[in-house]
Amino acid sequence: MQNLKEVKHFINGEYVAGGQGSFENINPATGKLNSTVHEADRNLVDQAVSSARAALNSDWGKMPVAERSKLLCAVADGVNKRFDEFLQAEIADTGKPVNLASHIDIPRGAANFTIFAELLKAFPSEAFQQDTPTGYGALNYSIRKPRGVIGVICPWNLPLLLMTWKVGPALACGNTVVVKPSEETPTTAALLGEVMNEVGIPKGVYNVVHGLGPDSAGQFLTEHPDVDGITFTGETVTGEAIMKAAAHGVRPVSMELGGKNAGVVFKDADMNKAIEGSMRSVFANCGQVCLNTERLYVERPIFEEFVSKLTDKAKGVTFGDPFSKETGSGPLISKVHRDKVLSYYQAAKDAGAEIHCGGGIPQVGGDYDAGWWIEPTIWTGLKETDKAVREEVFGPCVHIQPFDDEDEAIAMANDTPYGLATAIWTENLTQAHRVADQIDVGISWVNCWFLRDLRTPFGGNKSSGIGREGGQHAFEFYTETRNVCVQL
Ligand code: NAD
Ligand code: 6OD
């Protein structure tokens, strides 16, 4: 077993030290050191890509689908067998509360292997019978081949879940991967290497290189000419840099990017459902979910009541030991990120927002006062053009705006360069369908939020992404389709 106080790369089934120095992995709940992480240089990234290429060309790429599927289900079982180790590692890296990590991060991190392994077995090919001048016709059918070596660049907010959401379908399709986890959250990707070895995934199929973005592992991996496709989740500006790197060699990209998601609450909404749902959609994971609602539009007759009820609930959010089931919110991921979120809190104040709750740093007590905690914050009274209403904050904050009719709400919801998700709260389902159809996003939830069926398409419109993950949609990116035309 590896020593998780010193996080190494995982290349060709072995833990490997070295590169261009190391960096610190800090526990955001306490500001204390979790571990030291080796930072890969170009040479180590090259070794990882070469080992992925070799594995692709040998057993893995040629393995029957049923056998590959069985191995990937064993990976899911392997994660679940070591559930507590993954849970501890994820909580230490992110500070997120155990209630969240044990219900979402780790179970979904495992389930992402099973779902794609099962779906691929039932994935059909297409076929066309064609008329020809000979009268005998021709038969066209498609076959799918793995795309090749996939570079997987991950964010820190749901580290295991968002990594396996890409690695699961990539491996199911017969690709091999080189993963670059976020520098903030390297540990569960490192731990997964042990599970891969335990269940017998061939060496070189799953590789991990640690490092940062520019002039580090992220850049070296995305620029590597032997990487056949890049899948990325993170900020839109990073996505733009990665697209430039991918342009060399015309490599395809799949991009899950930022958002500035709107929630719309109609006057006939079930108030309790809308409040409970908005508490999650705004504040879950301390506002660090790409799908979080940062703008709420509430129909005027219920505006005051909604603001007051949401504020009461937000004031009740509890901080403290992430391993305690009583803790409601974790901290932000880093000091740099907290400074960024606090700059939006200041900008909102300067722009004259009415601050209903929060706006600062809570006293959590003991060791936790050295962590990156922040108060859940609710504003009203800002203009739609104000910075805190337009830009993605990625923190536990929301601006609430009243509206008078459906068209106005839809126009405000759509007035953003992003198009990731929305949550619509109404008991009038005709209205719900009509509004869901008109909000320009990849995912609309009605009377719920982050309710996930993994067979459905997942992704963003406009600056929120390119392509769709989820279900068979993921296979479009992770395979290359070939047509075979047979003259009969
Ligand atoms: P980020 O873009 O800062 O970093 C993501 C990853 O990219 C990290 O591993 C980082 O090291 C790497 N990276 C940075 N610069 C790079 C470069 N030039 N070349 C190659 N790699 C580089 O994002 P983050 O701060 O980790 O995550 C938060 C952001 O991610 C938010 O904007 C959020 O909305 C977005 N996000 C989107 C989704 C989605 O599904 N749409 C999901 C989660 C997070
Ligand atoms: O649930 C998922 O599959 C998914 N990709 C969630 C993304 C969350 C963003 O932070």
Side-chain angles (χ1 to χ4, degrees):
M1 254 204 240
Q2 65 191 304
N3 168 13
L4 287 175
K5 290 281 164 209
E6 188 194 352
V7 179
K8 296 180 183 159
H9 318 291
F10 184 72
I11 299 176
N12 207 28
E14 311 276 344
Y15 287 95
V16 179
Q20 50 184 34
S22 61
F23 56 93
E24 293 185 335
N25 167 22
I26 303 293
N27 183 330
T30 58
K32 289 188 178 151
L33 186 72
N34 276 331
S35 59
T36 303
V37 188
H38 290 256
E39 183 183 355
D41 57 8
R42 276 194 197 272
N43 181 39
L44 277 169
V45 171
D46 189 48
Q47 282 179 35
V49 173
S50 300
S51 83
R53 175 67 55 196
L56 181 79
N57 290 339
S58 59
D59 299 352
W60 191 251
K62 301 192 184 101
M63 192 179 277
V65 169
E67 206 177 316
R68 244 181 5 232
S69 281
K70 211 167 147 190
L71 276 172
L72 292 175
C73 292
V75 173
D77 291 344
V79 171
N80 283 327
K81 272 192 203 129
R82 297 178 64 177
F83 193 95
D84 286 345
E85 284 170 77
F86 277 92
L87 187 66
Q88 300 264 345
E90 205 72 307
I91 292 175
D93 277 6
T94 59
K96 63 178 71 190
V98 66
N99 276 340
L100 190 68
S102 62
H103 286 108
I104 295 188
D105 295 70
I106 310 306
R108 260 299 301 283
N112 286 339
F113 286 105
T114 327
I115 177 86
F116 292 108
E118 292 298 335
L119 278 174
L120 192 78
K121 285 194 287 189
F123 191 50
S125 318
E126 56 190 328
F128 295 96
Q129 278 182 305
Q130 181 188 3
D131 292 334
T132 59
T134 61
Y136 292 112
L139 175 65
N140 289 271
Y141 62 91
S142 64
I143 50 176
R144 287 185 177 267
K145 293 287 177 186
R147 187 170 287 288
V149 173
I150 306 292
V152 181
I153 310 277
C154 307
W156 43 256
N157 60 330
L158 298 156
L160 182 71
L161 186 160
L162 289 177
M163 188 257 287
T164 62
W165 179 239
K166 294 170 181 302
V167 171
L171 298 191
C173 291
N175 302 282
T176 56
V177 296
V178 179
V179 175
K180 209 296 280 171
S182 168
E183 53 274 34
E184 308 286 357
T185 53
T187 316
T188 45
L191 206 46
L192 188 62
E194 289 182 14
V195 173
M196 295 281 175
N197 282 348
E198 278 158 16
V199 304
I201 297 287
K203 289 182 187 312
V205 169
Y206 172 79
N207 304 275
V208 182
V209 288
H210 296 288
L212 291 79
D215 300 317
S216 186
Q219 184 182 334
F220 305 152
L221 181 59
T222 51
E223 283 180 355
H224 198 292
D226 208 27
V227 168
D228 299 302
I230 300 164
T231 175
F232 169 71
T233 297
E235 281 193 57
T236 297
V237 286
T238 313
E240 288 169 354
I242 290 175
M243 282 182 80
K244 284 187 190 143
H248 294 281
V250 201
R251 275 104 35 85
V253 291
S254 164
M255 299 255 144
E256 299 293 351
L257 307 175
K260 186 71 185 176
N261 308 306
V264 183
V265 187
F266 288 99
K267 63 177 187 289
D268 66 351
D270 176 317
M271 182 60 84
N272 290 336
K273 258 194 248 168
I275 293 291
E276 289 302 331
S278 300
M279 277 303 292
R280 289 183 58 239
S281 85
V282 174
F283 299 118
N285 206 32
C286 200
Q288 301 166 115
V289 182
C290 59
L291 309 157
N292 277 130
T293 302
E294 290 194 3
R295 300 178 290 145
L296 267 170
Y297 299 100
V298 179
E299 203 161 1
R300 203 173 296 275
I302 60 161
F303 179 77
E304 300 292 341
E305 182 190 358
F306 183 90
V307 172
S308 149
K309 287 190 162 155
L310 195 70
T311 301
D312 285 349
K313 287 267 181 194
K315 283 180 176 164
V317 168
T318 51
F319 308 102
D321 179 1
F323 289 95
S324 159
K325 291 198 169 137
E326 307 305 312
T327 299
S329 173
L332 292 172
I333 191 70
S334 64
K335 177 172 183 334
V336 171
H337 188 51
R338 187 172 70 175
D339 288 347
K340 175 182 159 191
V341 175
L342 285 172
S343 78
Y344 282 96
Y345 283 16
Q346 189 61 45
K349 194 172 175 191
D350 294 347
E354 184 175 344
I355 303 167
H356 295 267
C357 62
I361 296 172
Q363 295 298 303
V364 185
D367 281 353
Y368 300 116
D369 279 333
W372 317 126
W373 304 83
I374 193 153
E375 290 174 337
T377 297
I378 296 176
W379 305 297
T380 57
L382 289 173
K383 294 194 290 299
E384 286 295 289
T385 48
D386 283 328
K387 193 174 148 77
V389 184
R390 287 212 69 76
E391 297 176 13
E392 182 187 49
V393 181
F394 220 54
C397 54
V398 66
H399 180 252
I400 314 182
Q401 187 79 282
F403 69 87
D404 293 303
D405 68 48
E406 187 181 297
D407 287 346
E408 185 193 10
I410 292 167
M412 288 193 287
N414 281 336
D415 184 15
T416 169
Y418 294 107
L420 189 54
T422 190
I424 301 162
W425 302 93
T426 175
E427 292 298 295
N428 176 346
L429 281 186
T430 304
Q431 183 173 46
H433 289 298
R434 192 169 59 229
V435 174
D437 183 62
Q438 292 177 78
I439 300 188
D440 188 2
V441 288
I443 309 138
S444 295
W445 276 289
V446 175
N447 295 329
C448 59
W449 176 79
F450 206 1
L451 180 57
R452 296 281 291 114
D453 179 328
L454 306 186
R455 296 167 299 183
T456 59
F458 180 97
N461 298 352
K462 303 193 275 182
S463 295
S464 291
I466 298 179
R468 290 293 179 267
E469 299 182 321
Q472 64 183 51
H473 305 275
F475 303 146
E476 296 299 331
F477 179 73
Y478 293 111
T479 59
E480 196 80 89
T481 313
R482 296 184 193 167
N483 186 63
V484 179
C485 176
V486 183
Q487 167 113 323
L488 298 173

